[in-house]
Amino acid sequence: MTQASGPAPDPSAEEVANQLAAVVGRLLRRLRSTSSESLLTPTQRSVLARLDDGGAATTADLARAEFVRPQSMRLTLGSLEAQGLVGRAPDPADGRKSVMSITDAGRATLAEVRAAKRNWLAEAVAAELDGHERRTVAEAVALVERLVGS
């Protein structure tokens, strides 16, 4: 005798949160690995993105934003500067300080890194998901956006 099973019970908020955090973490690691050939560390990519989005900043401001020591940020910026991806200028508010800004070469490198990530993800979606599944993922993206307050 088989028992008719009804719809599965709704998962708890904690279960969904755990599953979502785990899969987002794996997705982020996979996206980071797609651009490893760019010769930029994750911190360097993050600093370039921060300068691109937020404009020029001091070493101390960048260190605080990235949760690293100013000495570590100086090393990161030194490497980026040596590659021509950031430039240094006197701080207009305090000439004793310098502000760092992204260069055109830095923007181009950042665009390449971002394109590699998007391309990998688009190819994975096209290869692994049918139209119905893509619509489901698109709906889930809208829900995740609502969760993070975009």
Side-chain angles (χ1 to χ4, degrees):
M1 177 178 212
T2 59
Q3 196 173 23
S5 61
D10 288 342
S12 71
E14 292 80 14
E15 290 170 324
V16 173
N18 286 335
Q19 292 171 349
L20 183 59
V23 76
V24 167
R26 288 195 313 271
L27 176 61
L28 289 173
R29 283 189 295 281
R30 187 67 188 265
L31 286 170
R32 279 188 214 113
S33 73
T34 63
S35 59
S36 61
E37 72 280 354
S38 72
L39 304 178
L40 293 178
T41 68
T43 301
Q44 290 171 336
R45 287 192 301 266
S46 180
V47 169
L48 283 180
R50 191 171 297 283
L51 290 172
D52 189 45
D53 296 339
T58 65
T59 301
D61 291 338
L62 290 167
R64 274 190 298 280
E66 293 291 322
F67 302 103
V68 298
R69 293 176 178 243
Q71 298 87 336
S72 297
M73 184 55 64
R74 276 195 286 280
L75 292 173
T76 298
L77 290 169
S79 176
L80 291 170
E81 191 172 20
Q83 295 176 66
L85 304 179
V86 298
R88 180 183 311 269
D91 185 336
D94 183 348
R96 299 168 295 175
K97 296 180 184 177
S98 295
V99 293
M100 304 302 290
S101 57
I102 190 168
T103 63
D104 289 341
R107 279 190 192 83
T109 299
L110 188 59
E112 288 174 29
V113 167
R114 288 174 171 165
K117 291 176 183 188
R118 281 191 309 272
N119 290 341
W120 171 82
L121 190 53
E123 288 171 10
V125 167
E128 298 294 327
L129 304 178
D130 64 25
H132 174 72
E133 291 169 323
R134 286 193 303 272
R135 282 189 298 279
T136 300
V137 170
E139 291 169 3
V141 167
L143 293 173
V144 171
E145 283 181 1
R146 194 169 88 199
L147 285 176
V148 298
S150 293

